[in-house]
Amino acid sequence: TTTVRNGALALIDHAKALMYLGDFGTGTQNADEAIRLLESLRRRGDGSPATRVALGTAYVTRCALLDFMGNPDGPDACRRAVAILRPLAERPGATLAARRAYLETLTQIGFEGQYGGVYYERSVRAARQAMHIASELGAKDFSDLEISADYAQAGAWRVLTLAGHDRSREVLRVGNEVLAVADGVLERRPWYRLALHAKELTEEALAGAAAGEIDPREEMKFAVQGQQTALALLQLDPNNVAPLYDFGTDLATAGDSLWARGRLGEAIKWYGRSLAPWGKAAKELRGGFVGEIGFITTQMGYRQAVAGDPTGALRTAARDQRLIEPNPGVHEPPDSVKSLAVALEPQVMEAEVTYERGDLAGASRLAAQAIDRLRVAKPVGYFQKLARAYLLYYSSTVYGRAEYRLGQFAAAEAAERIALKQRKFLSPAALSEMSNKRDSAEISTWLSMALARQGQLHEAAQVIGPVVRFEQSLLARDHGDVWVPYELARALYAQSLSAPAQRNVLLRRAATLLKGLPPRLQSLHDVREWRQRVSQTLPAPHGGA
């Protein structure tokens, strides 16, 4: 029995090592073999705590491997681990081994909060409980650095999940507690990988919280700190996919901060720098991170197009295509999400560029073709659904805007409804719920306009009312984001279409906000278009039509 159990534990340790190296397939095979060996011991009557703890550990290892692959069976493996370990860990006099294994399981459930609202409450609750267990075991007095690092890791997943749901004040409070423990571990052991990883994730969450507070300078501060921590991890293991991906995320977050401050050219350079670590992570994972890389690089290309660099936008789409294309010799069905992502990424970006160049019919045609192909896609697992969602989101927004300007308001309405649904699904991929709210507000602005143009004034007012209140709340606490007044001006224009009695007041305020934008924004195609839209609707100074 002992020999079999020790063999299973060796398989579990090897599976964990393979997970950190990105070999999830072999790691899962090892975890499954460990489960088979330990379950056979249980069937033969071995109900000892040692075997049950080993079996729970095998299941949570399987859970972690499946979670990283986006396999929907991952959470079920964690539930099995909980069922095995909770009775052992929560009884009086529980062994340290049982409590640690249970702590590991709760921390992994905390990680699953990155996969969307369905896991949100469960994940936050599990991570909080993991932190409590680690505190009871001495995490904050640093008597056992492994426990302290476990506390930091559980806390990191907790604050990341909270940041993804716009709980910025709680993130700031809990995040600083987590950093204090992570830094305490690193003072005593500077190259402790788990503590470094937890520190970097927490800094990423704090950057998201700063974005939620509309404070781009604080966002930049935490993004730079996160980059430094990720680089420290990469010095230890240059090919580790987790810090590679996190480093790319921190670089892109710095770009977001600069974009918010109106430094568009600098922002795009930071976005460009993020592609190298993401590309390396995708290569190490044999083509993984399709959804995340696609979403963020498409956003980068979109912003290049908005900033007046259509050539750069198309170049970014082509580069992204190379990052996510299947490995040589790997066959992908033509209707698979990965095949469609490779084929449609440049087309979606070309549609945006075509729109920015004023060719509305061309933009509409390209976007509609992409939407039609995506409707037949058959995503399997969360990551493929993510890839399909970001392509549908971007193509639908382009199609909706183009159709609106072409006077096809019913088609525009349908497209914006699709975009709104997909953007909400994408929320966990975008670091903070605030980015989802702001993107959704833009979509709702166009949706309200399309409804108003069809004479559906009551529904249009219902759609735009919350958007205006939301944008006004952002303006009231804006700490330097130059896009906030622009977003409010768009919403006020949309509201003017559904509120004839208030039209002139709303339009004048929108015009004032647009006039006050920095010169760099004034020069943009989209801003000029909105200024023209508002000015053409404004009454003449003397009060005439």
Side-chain angles (χ1 to χ4, degrees):
T1 296
T2 302
T3 302
V4 173
R5 186 169 59 238
N6 287 340
L9 289 169
L11 285 167
I12 293 167
D13 288 341
H14 191 229
K16 290 180 178 179
L18 290 171
M19 177 171 62
Y20 291 121
L21 293 172
D23 188 351
F24 300 138
T26 308
T28 303
Q29 291 174 9
N30 285 355
D32 287 346
E33 177 63 13
I35 290 170
R36 188 189 68 78
L37 291 171
L38 294 165
E39 289 283 14
S40 70
L41 289 180
R42 282 218 303 180
R43 285 194 299 272
R44 294 201 299 268
D46 180 5
S48 66
T51 294
R52 290 157 68 190
V53 168
L55 182 58
T57 304
Y59 272 116
V60 72
T61 302
R62 184 176 198 272
C63 172
L65 286 155
L66 295 177
D67 281 347
F68 277 121
M69 290 189 289
N71 189 309
D73 293 334
D76 181 64
C78 268
R79 280 190 285 268
R80 288 174 179 266
V82 168
I84 294 166
L85 294 169
R86 177 184 286 157
L88 295 169
E90 294 187 347
R91 69 184 183 187
T95 65
L96 180 59
R99 298 190 76 185
R100 277 184 161 168
Y102 190 42
L103 168 59
E104 179 184 357
T105 303
L106 292 170
T107 299
Q108 185 59 37
I109 294 172
F111 165 81
E112 290 171 349
Q114 312 311 301
Y115 290 161
V118 66
Y119 300 114
Y120 169 62
E121 291 294 345
R122 172 174 176 253
S123 296
V124 170
R125 187 169 56 251
R128 186 190 304 118
Q129 187 179 358
M131 293 174 71
H132 178 70
I133 293 171
S135 292
E136 289 185 333
L137 294 174
K140 294 184 179 180
D141 63 19
F142 306 105
S143 56
D144 184 332
L145 293 185
E146 183 178 346
I147 291 295
S148 299
D150 287 341
Y151 172 95
Q153 187 70 14
W157 294 131
R158 179 181 169 188
V159 295
L160 267 180
T161 302
L162 290 170
H165 290 79
D166 201 22
R167 302 268 291 273
S168 54
R169 292 184 181 177
E170 190 173 352
V171 170
L172 293 169
R173 177 180 61 80
V174 177
N176 284 315
E177 294 175 6
V178 174
L179 283 186
V181 173
D183 287 336
V185 173
L186 294 169
E187 285 174 9
R188 293 160 175 82
R189 193 183 299 176
W191 298 104
Y192 200 133
R193 294 189 189 197
L194 188 61
L196 281 168
H197 185 237
K199 177 178 169 64
E200 193 284 326
L201 291 176
T202 303
E203 288 160 344
E204 181 181 319
L206 288 167
E213 292 298 305
I214 323 297
D215 193 341
R217 286 179 173 80
E218 278 291 292
E219 183 182 16
M220 173 63 88
K221 182 186 81 174
F222 287 118
V224 171
Q225 289 179 10
Q227 292 167 35
Q228 294 168 345
T229 308
L231 284 172
L233 277 164
L234 290 171
Q235 287 180 2
L236 297 171
D237 187 356
N239 296 320
N240 191 318
V241 294
L244 279 170
Y245 179 76
D246 294 337
F247 184 46
T249 299
D250 291 323
L251 291 167
T253 301
D256 289 341
S257 167
L258 290 164
W259 182 269
R261 291 156 64 185
R263 294 160 62 176
L264 311 189
E266 293 176 71
I268 288 168
K269 288 179 182 177
W270 280 86
Y271 292 138
R273 289 173 60 192
S274 71
L275 297 184
W278 277 330
K280 190 172 182 180
K283 183 178 179 182
E284 293 294 328
L285 281 178
R286 298 170 175 84
F289 291 139
V290 173
E292 296 94 325
I293 291 172
F295 176 79
I296 300 173
T297 52
T298 302
Q299 177 176 273
M300 172 184 165
Y302 164 76
R303 288 183 169 176
Q304 284 176 291
V306 168
D309 183 13
T311 302
L314 295 174
R315 191 183 301 118
T316 296
R319 187 175 177 183
D320 178 31
Q321 186 183 36
R322 291 192 296 273
L323 293 179
I324 65 176
E325 65 186 355
N327 290 333
V330 176
H331 173 70
E332 290 282 347
D335 62 345
S336 75
V337 171
K338 185 171 285 190
S339 294
L340 287 174
V342 172
L344 296 180
E345 190 79 58
Q347 183 170 330
V348 172
M349 191 50 56
E350 185 181 356
E352 177 61 40
V353 167
T354 303
Y355 176 87
E356 293 293 332
R357 287 172 169 165
D359 181 359
L360 302 178
S364 175
R365 183 184 68 255
L366 288 166
Q369 290 171 353
I371 293 168
D372 288 342
R373 293 190 64 183
L374 288 164
R375 282 176 174 160
V376 304
K378 300 176 177 63
V380 178
Y382 174 75
F383 290 119
Q384 289 195 25
K385 291 177 181 178
L386 192 69
R388 178 177 181 269
Y390 84 78
L391 286 167
L392 263 177
Y393 160 61
Y394 277 110
S395 53
S396 296
T397 56
V398 177
Y399 182 68
R401 283 183 278 131
E403 288 296 288
Y404 178 89
R405 293 185 61 196
L406 289 167
Q408 303 298 320
F409 302 123
E413 176 196 346
E416 299 300 347
R417 291 190 188 279
I418 294 172
L420 194 60
K421 179 180 178 180
Q422 300 306 318
R423 184 61 188 90
K424 288 180 178 177
F425 177 78
L426 283 166
S427 180
L431 293 184
S432 121
E433 183 74 5
M434 180 57 70
S435 63
N436 171 45
K437 288 182 176 180
R438 293 177 71 173
D439 288 345
S440 296
E442 179 180 7
I443 299 166
S444 296
T445 296
W446 286 94
L447 173 59
S448 177
M449 290 160 57
L451 289 166
R453 293 302 187 188
Q454 296 174 77
Q456 301 175 43
L457 300 189
H458 179 68
E459 186 175 0
Q462 287 184 317
V463 170
I464 200 61
V467 174
V468 171
R469 290 192 293 273
F470 168 69
E471 295 291 355
Q472 287 174 332
S473 74
L474 296 189
L475 188 64
R477 58 192 174 98
D478 183 15
H479 297 288
D481 187 325
V482 299
W483 296 93
V484 171
Y486 171 62
E487 294 168 11
L488 176 56
R490 294 183 312 201
L492 291 170
Y493 172 83
Q495 191 173 45
S496 77
L497 299 181
S498 61
Q502 300 174 273
R503 181 165 297 170
N504 291 349
V505 172
L506 293 169
L507 288 172
R508 288 193 181 97
R509 188 175 178 209
T512 300
L513 289 167
L514 291 170
K515 186 178 180 180
L517 295 176
R520 179 67 183 93
L521 265 64
Q522 297 279 4
S523 66
L524 301 180
H525 167 270
D526 288 4
V527 175
R528 294 198 309 270
E529 178 189 303
W530 275 98
R531 289 194 69 178
Q532 182 179 24
R533 187 175 287 128
V534 170
S535 65
Q536 287 177 343
T537 319
L538 269 171
H542 55 76

